[in-house]
Amino acid sequence: MTDSGPAPLPASDRPDTAARLRDALLAASFTADGLLDLLGAAAYAALARSETVPALRATRGDTPLETLVRLFLLQQPVPRARVADVLPVAEALEGGWLTPVGGDEVAATVDVRPYGGPGGEDWFIVSDLGCAVGGAGGIGQHDEGVVLGVGGASTTLAGITVRTPVAAALDLGTGSGIQALHAAQHATRVTATDLNPRALHTTALTLALSGAPAADLRAGSLFEPVRDDETFDLIVSNPPFVISPGARLTYRDGGMGGDDLCRSLVQQAGERLTEGGFAQFLANWQHVAGEDWQDRLRSWVPRGCDAWIVQREVQDVTQYAELWLRDAGDHHGDPAEYQARYDAWLDEFEARKVRAVGFGWITLRRTGSAEPVVTVEEWPHPVEQPLGETVRAHFDRLDYLREHDDAALLESHFRLAGEVVQEQVGLPGAEDPEHVVLRQHRGMRRATKVDTVGAGFAGVCDGTLSAGRILDAIAQLVGEDPVLLRDRTPAQIRLLVEQGFLEPVG
């Protein structure tokens, strides 16, 4: 990047040019799988760390794929005659995808990065030069208004999003268009918004180059571009959630005080959802002295919505400030300026009595229930992506538990979820374990303690017998009053159903 700002983007109103470029990229195996085969695992992983030397060494030949890697991923000038063997050069130059440099060389104007879709689709994500995470320039040198490529946050949101067929989807703060691209696979109509017009232009390029339908692109902040009478079946957003003093970088800094941007986004989403519709966000939130962070987040949830909020990580304010100062490359600049900016972050947190910042996922579902359920939890442990089906199933189980009182629960049939194992913990040689743990190996990969009755109950749930009959059999086996056992066990059954260890049958 230069002091003059981002370079002009390719034309976004030439679908024929994008289609021919796509065909040429695919013909050269410029795909996620093709890159891995060419570069090898070590060089491929190094490129994701913004280390380009291994990839440069792996592309010293003149094959079409090596040419494209040097041109679009490593952002190296390539002889025009060599590129002409791979791409329609004249059309790419006219459309602005390439620019002439030197005497007889051309260079890419944007980063074009292969991205594998969930169904094996070959997609391409467009971003500004040096702004792809793992790009040739590396993260940490971004001017105001640039458009980043796909990073860990983007793929996390894409992985947790519920992927059922819907009529209308909304991507707020679309950036390079990755969420809109995913939504286009299962939504009849996709609307994408962004405060940065350059991001909307980039999204159009990403969709066109990936062979996806065009989206309805609108400029504006948050829900401003959405009409009052519009509702959506799915709303997704990887917003500029960074809590910072000011809004220096549009792509990450919300510009509102503290975590107000994320709060506003969540609170305003409820009235934009159709009945049963989902809104899913990534967010940061403040941990304020004297305040329960879970209560803070519960206060964000709009009326008429169930919510599942998962805190994945917490950083103290010094760690948080250092992370985002490094993201902007401030640690490479003048030490006095870096210190002043660091001070400004800490001043802001001190004024707001913020001790730490949490990061996580927020999912809302519009419900007609008079008693919405709001679950706020901390789960920093590894999970299995994609989690979209796990998220959908969580809300289905909420509906089931709402509709079944304890008597109905005991008449129901359950089966143990797949890949759940039982672990017994206790001293070696002890006759009985100190406690029993059920552990999932799929989805959220939860673990929960159960008593011997709970373990025995879960172990025999195969959908054949009702919960009540199973408890009667256990009572007879352990010599306990079956009526008392029926009275005290439904709470444990509810927990096992809520957390996905048991699945209702029928």
Side-chain angles (χ1 to χ4, degrees):
M1 309 300 297
T2 66
D3 292 338
S4 60
L9 291 169
S12 61
D13 58 352
R14 301 189 181 191
D16 291 345
T17 297
R20 278 189 279 276
L21 284 175
R22 173 177 171 79
D23 289 342
L25 298 178
L26 294 177
S29 296
F30 188 64
T31 63
D33 289 340
L35 291 184
L36 183 58
D37 289 341
L38 171 68
L39 301 178
Y44 192 80
L47 190 59
R49 301 190 301 269
S50 301
E51 295 291 348
T52 59
V53 171
L56 286 167
R57 291 173 60 86
T59 56
R60 289 179 290 194
D62 58 1
T63 66
L65 181 54
E66 288 170 296
T67 297
L68 292 175
V69 171
R70 281 189 164 254
L71 188 64
F72 286 118
L73 265 64
L74 302 178
Q75 281 125 45
Q76 300 291 308
V78 178
R80 174 171 177 160
R82 183 174 162 187
V83 177
D85 293 334
V86 187
L87 299 176
V89 171
E91 196 169 0
L93 285 166
E94 184 181 355
W97 292 89
L98 302 177
T99 187
V101 293
D104 60 352
E105 293 185 319
V106 294
T109 58
V110 288
D111 184 294
V112 175
R113 194 151 298 249
Y115 179 89
E121 302 92 346
D122 289 315
W123 293 339
F124 300 96
I125 309 302
V126 179
S127 64
D128 274 310
L129 293 175
C131 294
V133 177
I139 199 159
Q141 52 171 345
H142 307 313
D143 294 331
E144 173 70 17
V146 299
V147 180
L148 300 191
V150 175
S154 304
T155 55
T156 293
L157 179 59
I160 68 173
T161 300
V162 176
R163 298 294 176 196
T164 53
V166 296
L170 172 64
D171 176 16
L172 284 176
T174 187
S176 60
I178 179 60
Q179 309 305 330
L181 180 56
H182 275 279
Q185 310 309 303
H186 63 102
T188 304
R189 175 172 57 88
V190 176
T191 301
T193 73
D194 206 290
L195 182 64
N196 181 7
R198 189 176 181 85
L200 298 176
H201 191 147
T202 303
T203 292
L205 297 174
T206 289
L207 294 173
L209 199 58
S210 298
D216 178 5
L217 304 176
R218 305 181 192 177
S221 176
L222 301 181
F223 288 100
E224 286 177 3
V226 178
R227 297 191 306 272
D228 291 341
D229 61 345
E230 280 186 291
T231 56
F232 300 87
D233 308 296
L234 174 67
I235 300 172
V236 293
S237 183
N238 176 18
F241 53 67
V242 176
I243 300 171
S244 63
R248 185 160 60 105
L249 299 174
T250 303
Y251 71 87
R252 66 165 210 195
D253 299 328
M256 296 186 186
D259 51 18
D260 284 355
L261 183 139
C262 290
R263 176 185 54 79
S264 298
L265 183 63
V266 174
Q267 289 180 336
Q268 295 174 24
E271 62 186 8
R272 303 295 186 180
L273 286 174
T274 58
E275 189 69 27
F278 286 92
Q280 299 186 262
F281 315 106
L282 301 185
N284 274 173
W285 43 79
Q286 298 172 147
H287 285 231
V288 179
E291 177 182 286
D292 187 311
W293 68 270
Q294 294 183 329
D295 289 343
R296 181 182 190 85
L297 290 173
R298 287 189 183 94
S299 73
W300 290 9
V301 178
R303 294 179 60 185
C305 289
D306 292 324
W308 185 19
I309 302 174
V310 183
Q311 181 166 273
R312 295 287 290 159
E313 184 180 0
V314 181
Q315 290 184 315
D316 67 52
V317 293
T318 58
Q319 291 174 309
Y320 188 80
E322 290 163 13
L323 169 67
W324 294 110
L325 288 168
R326 283 176 168 78
D327 170 80
D330 292 329
H331 60 306
H332 292 311
D334 176 47
E337 185 175 351
Y338 173 80
Q339 182 175 343
R341 284 181 171 161
Y342 199 153
D343 270 334
W345 283 66
L346 297 186
D347 286 343
E348 178 83 3
F349 287 132
E350 185 175 345
R352 294 181 175 275
K353 300 181 180 179
V354 177
R355 300 293 180 261
V357 177
F359 167 82
W361 319 326
I362 298 177
T363 299
L364 308 176
R365 186 192 60 169
R366 189 78 184 175
T367 177
S369 172
E371 298 181 0
V373 177
V374 176
T375 302
V376 183
E377 63 176 320
E378 186 164 19
W379 190 253
H381 311 293
V383 298
E384 180 192 44
Q385 285 276 33
L387 272 171
E389 180 59 23
T390 298
V391 173
R392 186 201 60 78
H394 169 86
F395 288 92
D396 285 349
R397 293 193 298 269
L398 290 187
D399 286 340
Y400 176 86
L401 292 172
R402 251 193 307 244
E403 295 165 0
H404 289 73
D405 60 17
D406 286 356
L409 206 65
L410 293 173
E411 292 299 318
S412 301
H413 295 237
F414 302 94
R415 70 165 61 93
L416 190 65
E419 297 194 40
V420 172
V421 298
Q422 176 179 304
E423 300 173 359
Q424 295 186 348
V425 181
L427 295 174
E431 183 176 347
D432 296 314
E434 293 181 16
H435 58 262
V436 178
V437 175
L438 297 181
R439 188 178 302 276
Q440 301 169 347
H441 284 274
R442 304 297 302 272
M444 291 293 287
R445 294 176 173 165
R446 295 186 185 277
T448 188
K449 288 183 182 180
V450 292
D451 58 21
T452 54
V453 170
F457 179 87
V460 298
C461 279
D462 60 2
T464 305
L465 298 175
S466 69
R469 291 190 62 184
I470 293 174
L471 290 178
D472 290 343
I474 292 175
Q476 184 176 11
L477 185 65
V478 300
E480 188 169 340
D481 185 334
V483 175
L484 294 177
L485 194 61
R486 279 174 171 255
D487 283 344
R488 69 177 175 84
T489 307
Q492 191 168 193
I493 296 174
R494 286 186 181 279
L495 179 63
L496 293 176
V497 172
E498 181 182 346
Q499 294 191 344
F501 289 94
L502 293 179
E503 299 173 346
V505 175

